[in-house]
């Protein structure tokens, strides 16, 4: 599966962005999907995950209530709606595919190239 993330950019504190992740070359609807992020000088961390059907989601505590993960299997696309953005959300955001929707990075087999999100204060 090839994954292509997009939708990043520069936004002010309190603003919103929607990230997309287009999948190709595999059966997207059979994969659990996740979003991760890596800020400068920090390790990559879990953001959100969603089951293959979309009926189960998980979020990092730092983004609960602000971010929403969703997917459109008919379009082979994963989304991350990010609202009320904060400077600490600044990072490169990666989408990834796994057999199961999990917070554990080691279970993700396929990774996108990342998209930069910068939140100015």
């Amino acid at each position: 599966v090839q994954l292509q993330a997009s939708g990043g950019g520069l936004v002010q504190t309190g603003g919103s962005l929607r990230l997309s992740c287009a999948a190709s070359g595999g059966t997207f609807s059979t994969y659990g999907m996740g979003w991760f992020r890596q800020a400068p000088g920090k390790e990559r961390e879990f953001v959100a995950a969603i089951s293959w059907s979309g009926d189960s989601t998980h979020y990092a505590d730092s983004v609960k209530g602000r971010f929403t993960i969703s997917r459109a299997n008919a379009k082979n696309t994963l989304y991350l709606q990010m609202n009320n953005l904060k400077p600490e959300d600044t990072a490169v955001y990666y989408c990834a595919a796994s057999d199961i929707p999990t917070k554990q990075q080691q279970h993700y087999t396929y990774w996108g190239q990342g998209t930069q999100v910068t939140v100015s204060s």
Side-chain angles (χ1 to χ4, degrees):
V1 175
Q2 291 80 48
L3 302 173
Q4 180 77 32
S6 62
L10 174 64
V11 64
Q12 291 185 334
T13 297
S16 298
L17 283 174
R18 188 175 82 155
L19 305 184
S20 298
C21 175
S24 60
T27 308
F28 176 74
S29 61
T30 64
Y31 288 98
M33 298 295 296
W35 286 100
F36 295 81
R37 67 186 182 187
Q38 187 168 20
K42 295 187 177 181
E43 294 186 352
R44 189 166 57 191
E45 64 176 5
F46 168 77
V47 175
I50 189 168
S51 62
W52 66 271
S53 64
D55 61 358
S56 177
T57 57
H58 309 277
Y59 295 94
D61 288 343
S62 59
V63 306
K64 274 182 184 176
R66 299 188 298 122
F67 290 12
T68 302
I69 188 171
S70 63
R71 65 191 297 162
N73 286 343
K75 297 181 178 180
N76 291 342
T77 304
L78 173 74
Y79 303 101
L80 184 69
Q81 178 66 44
M82 306 185 294
N83 297 328
N84 191 22
L85 283 161
K86 304 175 181 180
E88 51 263 42
D89 295 319
T90 295
V92 177
Y93 283 70
Y94 299 89
C95 56
S98 171
D99 289 336
I100 56 173
T102 172
K103 301 179 180 182
Q104 306 299 322
Q105 296 188 44
Q106 61 267 29
H107 293 293
Y108 286 82
T109 305
Y110 304 101
W111 291 83
Q113 86 293 355
T115 185
Q116 176 71 47
V117 172
T118 303
V119 185
S120 63
S121 57

